[in-house]
Amino acid sequence: MEIWINPACSKCRSAISLLDAEGAEYTVRRYLEDVPSEDEIREVLDRLGLEPWDITRTQEAAGKELGLKEWARDDSSRDRWITALAEHPKLIQRPIITADDGSAVVGRSEDAVRDALARK
């Protein structure tokens, strides 16, 4: 199990606290420092069953600067979104937990983190 975090994020700290409390084995990836490639983002999206715009923090400064709210959300725009996430990792919703069974969840709630823990 791997968790993509921003240490400054309270949701990330809560997710790690819950993983620790449950004795989970996991690897921490500080994705702002160890930026995921476009291929890694595609893989996580496949595991999540989501599109890039579903995990994009459009209210971040970079998102506003890029005008993400105006971008098309369709197959032809998918690569453009993925490139933006790779170039501006702060736009990636957090924390993302990749579970041992090959799936992933956005662990913004205790229930979502527990869901990841149950996927063994």
Side-chain angles (χ1 to χ4, degrees):
M1 179 180 301
E2 182 176 78
I3 181 169
W4 292 9
I5 68 157
N6 172 351
C9 167
S10 63
K11 300 281 186 189
C12 294
R13 293 191 305 271
S14 295
I16 285 182
S17 293
L18 181 54
L19 292 174
D20 288 344
E22 295 295 325
E25 291 184 27
Y26 61 92
T27 303
V28 170
R29 180 172 186 171
R30 294 178 178 217
Y31 70 94
L32 297 180
E33 299 162 15
D34 182 8
V35 178
S37 68
E38 290 184 26
D39 286 341
E40 288 175 304
I41 292 169
R42 281 186 189 86
E43 180 187 339
V44 162
L45 287 167
D46 288 345
R47 291 175 79 164
L48 287 165
L50 296 174
E51 293 297 337
W53 45 85
D54 296 327
I55 65 161
T56 301
R57 300 168 57 86
T58 58
Q59 294 302 310
E60 287 287 336
K64 290 179 178 178
E65 189 176 302
L66 292 169
L68 293 179
K69 284 191 169 189
E70 309 305 318
W71 287 17
R73 296 176 184 218
D74 56 27
D75 284 344
S76 66
S77 302
R78 191 170 201 265
D79 286 341
R80 182 181 187 200
W81 283 85
I82 290 169
T83 298
L85 293 174
E87 291 176 355
H88 306 278
K90 203 167 195 178
L91 295 173
I92 300 171
Q93 190 59 263
R94 59 190 181 251
I96 293 177
I97 303 169
T98 55
D100 293 337
D101 71 352
S103 65
V105 299
V106 178
R108 294 193 56 77
S109 69
E110 182 176 327
D111 287 344
V113 176
R114 290 194 183 283
D115 183 38
L117 283 166
R119 297 177 183 208
K120 292 188 177 181

